[in-house]
Amino acid sequence: MALMLVKFDLKKRVKLAQTVWFMYWFAVMAGVLVFSMGLFFKIELRKRSELMDNNESHILPNLLIFMGLIACGINAFGGKVCYDSLDPTKFVKWKPMLKTFLVFCVVFNALLIVTALMCFVMKIPLQFTLSEGLKNGMRYYKDTDTPGRCYMKRTLDLMQMEFRCCGNDHYRDWFEIQWVSNRYLDFSAKEVKDRLGSNVDGQYLMDGVPFSCCNPSSPRPCIQMQMTNNSAHYSYDHYTEELNVWKRGCREALLSYYGGMMNTIGALVFLITLLEVAVTVGLQYVDTSLSTLANPEDPESESEGWILEKTVKETFTDIMAKMKATGKGGKVEEGGEEGVATVS
């Protein structure tokens, strides 16, 4: 018994072909959308590539770009097949390759589902990538004269202002590194000597943050230096005072931005997968309805269409039987070759 058997006459077959043809071209536009989302995501990642610890984060946008291009190709081909199915003389040339094409479509749909799932799963490695990348970026913030790192200060400052964040996990992360270049330090000054001698690494550490951490909405002028020294500022207590620097860490801010983008892309890819499944089913009905004409010489004769010629269980059993037969055939051939070698 065929799965989801439907009877067709000429009018229904024409309507089916026209509907699937329209859906295929809509799917072509969906493929362009997947390609565009992958390209946009890749550009957004490249903007802050200096803050990424590795290049693994580009796997997802590259996959989206690839899947978008493949979707455009197979959907354009499917649309052409549906258009030619209205003319039996034109449809004959596509008939031998349709089963292979339909199998390829099923595999492509499965890959689309995997791509959608990756949009949600890849947020986990992205979190660690951002954490390590931001730590390195903050460490190189002061190296404005070092080739390859001279733009790190600008990148970090622009990012902290754009995403309203400060440090990696917290603004206090800046207290743990030297972010002022030695060229701007007066090594003869007592304060500089004291700070350099206050830690084993000989770094100029201070309780301050870059200007880009300042919150412009604060009514009080930004206190970005000596933030833990209450006596350095009038009417100030860093334990109770509402600080006028951003409190949210940049790792959380970037993860929220990229995570939201990935969730949106994943949801859209799932919806596009449903469309791809629909057009694959539609093409299967077009193929089977034209293959089962009661009178092939009469285009107006009735026919039947289905998704599977047998039930799901029977189809699965047949596939397993064919795989076992193929495996046994391979073993027999190997045994035959060994026998020939022994005789010779």
Side-chain angles (χ1 to χ4, degrees):
M1 181 66 181
L3 180 66
M4 298 185 71
L5 182 68
V6 179
K7 293 187 178 296
F8 292 92
D9 54 22
L10 178 61
K11 186 178 178 180
K12 285 184 177 180
R13 283 195 298 271
V14 170
K15 189 174 181 180
L16 171 67
Q18 290 174 339
T19 302
V20 178
W21 174 83
F22 176 78
M23 291 174 64
Y24 259 120
W25 288 109
F26 191 72
V28 169
M29 291 187 285
V32 173
L33 177 62
V34 173
F35 173 83
S36 302
M37 290 189 297
L39 193 61
F40 174 75
F41 190 30
K42 189 175 184 67
I43 292 172
E44 286 298 302
L45 286 174
R46 280 197 175 277
K47 283 182 182 178
R48 302 167 191 92
S49 58
E50 299 97 332
L51 305 176
M52 305 287 178
D53 186 46
N54 54 52
N55 294 322
E56 293 177 3
S57 54
H58 291 276
I59 293 175
L60 181 58
N62 290 339
L63 181 59
L64 287 167
I65 291 171
F66 175 74
M67 295 299 285
L69 290 173
I70 296 296
C72 291
I74 65 172
N75 290 321
F77 179 81
K80 175 63 175 173
V81 171
C82 287
Y83 181 81
D84 287 348
S85 69
L86 298 172
D87 185 350
T89 58
K90 292 182 179 180
F91 183 71
V92 172
K93 63 181 179 182
W94 304 118
K95 184 64 182 170
M97 63 182 76
L98 264 185
K99 288 193 182 299
T100 303
F101 177 70
L102 285 167
V103 170
F104 179 78
C105 288
V106 171
V107 174
F108 175 74
N109 293 340
L111 288 175
L112 268 181
I113 294 174
V114 172
T115 304
L117 291 174
M118 283 184 66
C119 290
F120 300 104
V121 174
M122 287 297 287
K123 287 188 294 184
I124 299 173
L126 180 63
Q127 180 177 355
F128 295 104
T129 296
L130 287 172
S131 180
E132 290 301 315
L134 284 168
K135 284 180 182 177
N136 293 331
M138 291 172 64
R139 194 179 303 121
Y140 302 143
Y141 181 88
K142 67 181 185 300
D143 299 338
T144 52
D145 297 328
T146 305
R149 301 177 187 173
C150 54
Y151 292 106
M152 186 57 72
K153 178 182 181 300
R154 179 178 180 273
T155 300
L156 275 169
D157 283 334
L158 289 175
M159 178 203 64
Q160 291 190 143
M161 289 188 289
E162 180 182 356
F163 289 94
R164 300 184 174 187
C165 60
C166 186
N168 189 347
D169 296 310
H170 198 261
Y171 71 89
R172 287 180 175 272
D173 293 334
W174 287 107
F175 297 179
E176 301 172 4
I177 62 168
Q178 177 180 338
W179 53 272
V180 177
S181 175
N182 287 338
R183 65 181 295 190
Y184 303 115
L185 297 177
D186 180 6
F187 287 95
S188 62
K190 182 178 182 302
E191 181 189 356
V192 174
K193 292 180 179 179
D194 290 343
R195 288 189 181 276
L196 292 175
S198 65
N199 59 91
V200 294
D201 296 325
Q203 293 185 334
Y204 183 75
L205 304 181
M206 56 182 176
D207 53 346
V209 297
F211 76 97
S212 52
C213 285
C214 292
N215 179 359
S217 301
S218 174
R220 180 170 186 160
C222 185
I223 297 176
Q224 65 178 105
M225 296 297 181
Q226 296 182 315
M227 296 177 65
T228 59
N229 186 357
N230 294 337
S231 61
H233 311 284
Y234 176 72
S235 185
Y236 175 76
D237 184 350
H238 75 279
Y239 289 111
T240 59
E241 185 79 11
E242 185 67 28
L243 294 176
N244 48 13
V245 297
W246 304 117
K247 293 184 177 180
R248 185 166 72 154
C250 291
R251 180 176 62 86
E252 179 189 344
L254 287 173
L255 190 63
S256 175
Y257 174 70
Y258 286 122
M261 190 184 301
M262 292 164 75
N263 287 340
T264 302
I265 293 174
L268 287 173
V269 173
F270 263 125
L271 292 175
I272 291 170
T273 304
L274 295 178
L275 175 62
E276 292 291 346
V277 170
V279 294
T280 303
V281 171
L283 185 60
Q284 171 68 356
Y285 273 117
V286 170
D287 180 30
T288 53
S289 64
L290 290 173
S291 302
T292 58
L293 288 171
N295 182 8
E297 303 297 328
D298 181 15
E300 296 187 5
S301 60
E302 293 188 350
S303 62
E304 295 179 342
W306 54 74
I307 296 179
L308 294 174
E309 192 172 359
K310 300 178 181 178
T311 62
V312 175
K313 183 178 180 181
E314 291 172 341
T315 303
F316 180 76
T317 303
D318 288 347
I319 292 173
M320 295 302 295
K322 288 179 181 178
M323 290 176 65
K324 288 180 180 179
T326 303
K328 289 180 180 178
K331 289 181 180 179
V332 170
E333 288 179 5
E334 289 177 5
E337 289 176 1
E338 290 176 2
V340 171
T342 303
V343 171
S344 60

